[in-house]
Structure formats: structure tokens, C-alpha cells
Amino acid sequence: MQKQVPASFEGYNAYAKTAIANNEKLTISAKAGKFAISALATAGNMLAMWAISEVISVISACVTASSRLQESAKELSTQFSSTQSDIDGYKTKIADLYTVINDGSSSYEETYNARQQLLSIQNEMIEKFGSEAEAVQLVTDAVNGQTDALDSLTQL
């Protein structure tokens, strides 16, 4: 309900002053509300930008990790191919040495050199593939005509 405006000038003047004071209070309140809404909007925008930035960072990290994984897989594939090639070379060399050792027409010196080369192959295999006992067994099996024993090094 609206107040009735007083009939006298003094009453009207007092009413007008009260109305102006109340209006100023409302204006200050409206400005404070407008500032609060603006601050909340700014904070919301900052939060949204931070969230977008984090999402982009996560996507970038995933892409980078995927690339690194792909490079690692390529390196491992190359190493595996190289290892397999080395083992094929060992198999051929051991088969040739086996032939020399078991050939009755080979001289003592040829047989001795073939055995020295087998020991050299054994040492190389120990350096490349580890465990001496396994390498010795593989070379022993290969000398006994079982060069397929070296295939166990390329099994996944």
C-alpha cells in the first residue's frame, strides 16, 4: 500500500526527503547486488577457463604419452629385429663350426680354431643375453647339432 501524501507543505517536504533517502538506500543496494553478480560472473568465467585449460592439458599429456609409447614400441621392434638377426648369424656360424669340428678331414688347428670361435660366440651371447648357464647350454646344444635351441631367445 502506498502512503498518502500529506496535505501540508512541511509534511510533503518531509515525505519527499524520506522518499529520496529510501531511494538512495535502494540504489546503493542495487549497486552492491550488481557488483556481487559481476564478481560471481567473473569467478565463474575464471573457473570455466581453468577447467578448459586442465582438459586441454590432459589431452595434450595423453597425446604425448601415446607418441612416446609408439616410439618405444618402434625401438623395441628394431632391437628385436636386430637381436633376431644376430641370433640367425650365430646359428649359421655355429652350424659351420659344428661341421668343421665333426669333419674328419679337419686339421687339429682348424678344430682348435673352431672351438675358440665357439667360446667367443658363447661370451658374446652372455654379454647380449645374460645368464652364463643358459648361454653355455645354448652353445652346447648348437654344437650338438641343435641350432634350433637359439630360437628360444627370440620367443616372446
Side-chain angles (χ1 to χ4, degrees):
M1 268 201 196
Q2 244 180 358
K3 287 186 176 180
Q4 294 293 328
V5 177
S8 70
F9 179 73
E10 290 83 26
Y12 179 75
N13 197 17
Y15 174 77
K17 286 181 181 179
T18 305
I20 290 172
N22 286 339
N23 192 22
E24 285 176 359
K25 287 180 187 175
L26 286 175
T27 303
I28 291 172
S29 178
K31 286 181 182 178
K34 184 178 179 182
F35 176 76
I37 288 174
S38 176
L40 284 174
T42 301
N45 286 339
M46 289 173 60
L47 181 63
M49 292 307 293
W50 175 80
I52 290 170
S53 173
E54 288 300 309
V55 167
I56 290 171
S57 294
V58 168
I59 290 170
S60 175
C62 288
V63 168
T64 302
S66 175
S67 295
R68 280 187 270 148
L69 181 62
Q70 187 178 17
E71 287 300 317
S72 294
K74 284 180 184 177
E75 283 180 32
L76 288 174
S77 174
T78 301
Q79 287 176 356
F80 182 77
S81 294
S82 174
T83 299
Q84 192 167 16
S85 175
D86 290 347
I87 289 172
D88 289 341
Y90 287 138
K91 286 172 64 174
T92 303
K93 200 171 195 180
I94 289 171
D96 292 344
L97 294 172
Y98 174 75
T99 303
V100 170
I101 290 171
N102 290 320
D103 186 5
S105 64
S106 296
S107 69
Y108 171 79
E109 187 176 330
E110 289 174 330
T111 304
Y112 177 79
N113 287 337
R115 291 187 185 275
Q116 290 294 3
Q117 288 178 18
L118 282 174
L119 288 174
S120 174
I121 290 172
Q122 174 182 323
N123 290 333
E124 287 178 29
M125 290 177 69
I126 289 169
E127 282 182 31
K128 288 185 180 182
F129 306 113
S131 178
E132 183 174 350
E134 289 177 13
V136 169
Q137 186 61 45
L138 288 174
V139 171
T140 302
D141 289 347
V143 167
N144 291 329
Q146 300 171 11
T147 57
D148 292 339
L150 296 177
D151 290 336
S152 67
L153 293 174
T154 58
Q155 300 300 316
L156 296 178

